[in-house]
Amino acid sequence: MVRRLIARFCDGPIWGALRRWAGSWGHTAVDLLFPPRCAFCDADLPDMHDSLLLCPPCRDKLATRQWIGCRRCGSKTAAGFLSDGCPRCQQMPRFLDAVVPLGQYQGDLRRAILLMKRPAGDFLSAAMGQLLVSARAEDLAALEPDLVAPVPMHWLRLLWRGTNSPEILARAVAARLDSPLEQGLLTRCRNTLPQSRLKPAERYRNLRGAFRVQKGCALSGARVLLVDDILTTGATCGEAARVLKQAGASYVAAAILGRAEGDT
């Protein structure tokens, strides 16, 4: 925990200025005092050539090598990659053009996502965002996003939870894709009920009118990549995509960690 707090400070603006002056000494000193550990299982990390703070076994557990599923809604399908939609797409809003999942919302990936929602989950969220881009680099690059935006959280929910995992995920995705991050592009103007407590039909009504595009944002013809942690019925990302397209976006895709196949 101490190592993680120091590492977060080393990635902050104050240390960033010192690091540009002193080179990589800061992180080297931290690594010597507190050897890096896996953000998920807390095991010692071997000498990695990348900055993804997940051990090799956890990388394999949390990310399938390839996601075989519907390109539009991200659902697993027996027919493999479908470009024009699958039976589950008929139950989803048509505003989303593509979904790129890291894996199914079950097992270790489900546990990681739930841990990310805790106040101490920021470090794991950043690592999972890096893993998402690393494992799905080709699929995400093919979307050719003009900008990356997190699905926003209402300020009351943020105050209660103490962390904003979609925003942290989006920051990692934008950095890896070298795309502009627009954290304030969307705002959540209503504190909606938690989607997990609602039936599928109720989820769409719950989210209607919950998002607003920031005034002055130029979205004409833009390709937007939304980032969120879980997608089940698609109500949340679908409503965000609807608002973005009303504001001028031509294409809206979603990058997510867990694709839940059920309705709950």
Side-chain angles (χ1 to χ4, degrees):
M1 178 60 71
V2 175
R3 200 270 172 199
R4 294 181 181 183
L5 291 172
I6 295 176
R8 287 180 63 184
F9 171 73
C10 285
D11 287 326
I14 298 175
W15 189 261
L18 293 173
R19 198 171 63 218
R20 284 192 292 273
W21 173 73
S24 60
W25 181 87
H27 273 295
T28 302
V30 170
D31 290 342
L32 288 172
L33 291 171
F34 305 96
R37 303 181 71 85
C38 176
F40 183 55
C41 73
D42 208 37
D44 287 335
L45 284 177
D47 186 15
M48 296 293 191
H49 296 292
D50 57 32
S51 60
L52 209 171
L53 293 179
L54 291 167
C55 65
C58 283
R59 297 184 192 196
D60 293 338
K61 288 189 297 186
L62 295 170
T64 56
R65 293 187 179 275
Q66 186 182 15
W67 181 261
I68 306 299
C70 175
R71 290 186 185 275
R72 201 183 77 79
C73 75
S75 176
K76 280 279 190 180
T77 64
F81 270 95
L82 302 177
S83 58
D84 298 326
C86 69
R88 283 192 66 84
C89 288
Q90 309 308 316
Q91 306 169 28
M92 295 178 63
R94 299 292 299 185
F95 302 106
L96 265 180
D97 296 294
V99 174
V100 177
L102 179 62
Q104 284 185 293
Y105 183 62
Q106 62 183 21
D108 288 311
L109 181 56
R110 177 181 181 274
R111 188 160 69 90
I113 293 172
L114 293 177
L115 287 172
M116 287 164 46
K117 296 177 181 294
R118 298 180 180 180
D122 290 9
F123 196 69
L124 178 58
S125 295
M128 293 301 294
Q130 293 176 332
L131 181 63
L132 173 60
V133 182
S134 176
R136 301 289 173 260
E138 187 175 333
D139 295 328
L140 291 172
L143 300 175
E144 300 180 338
D146 296 312
L147 57 95
V148 176
V151 173
M153 187 184 299
H154 193 270
W155 67 270
L156 282 174
R157 184 74 56 83
L158 176 59
L159 189 65
W160 174 260
R161 183 175 291 178
T163 185
N164 190 334
S165 52
E167 186 173 294
I168 298 170
L169 288 171
R171 192 180 306 133
V173 170
R176 286 294 186 100
L177 290 179
D178 197 22
S179 296
L181 173 65
E182 298 292 343
Q183 291 179 231
L185 176 64
L186 284 170
T187 57
R188 200 154 190 154
C189 47
R190 276 198 304 113
N191 188 23
T192 56
L193 294 172
Q195 291 286 85
S196 59
R197 301 178 185 174
L198 304 175
K199 296 178 180 179
E202 296 173 332
R203 296 185 183 197
Y204 295 102
R205 292 194 294 269
N206 185 45
L207 269 297
R208 190 72 177 180
F211 300 113
R212 182 172 57 225
V213 175
Q214 187 181 44
K215 291 182 178 180
C217 287
L219 285 178
S220 180
R223 298 174 66 88
V224 181
L225 177 60
L226 289 170
V227 181
D228 205 357
D229 47 12
I230 308 168
L231 187 145
T232 306
T233 61
T236 303
C237 286
E239 176 63 13
R242 183 186 72 82
V243 172
L244 289 168
K245 287 191 170 180
Q246 279 188 342
S250 63
Y251 183 92
V252 181
I256 58 167
L257 292 182
R259 179 59 167 97
E261 293 295 320
D263 292 328
T264 60

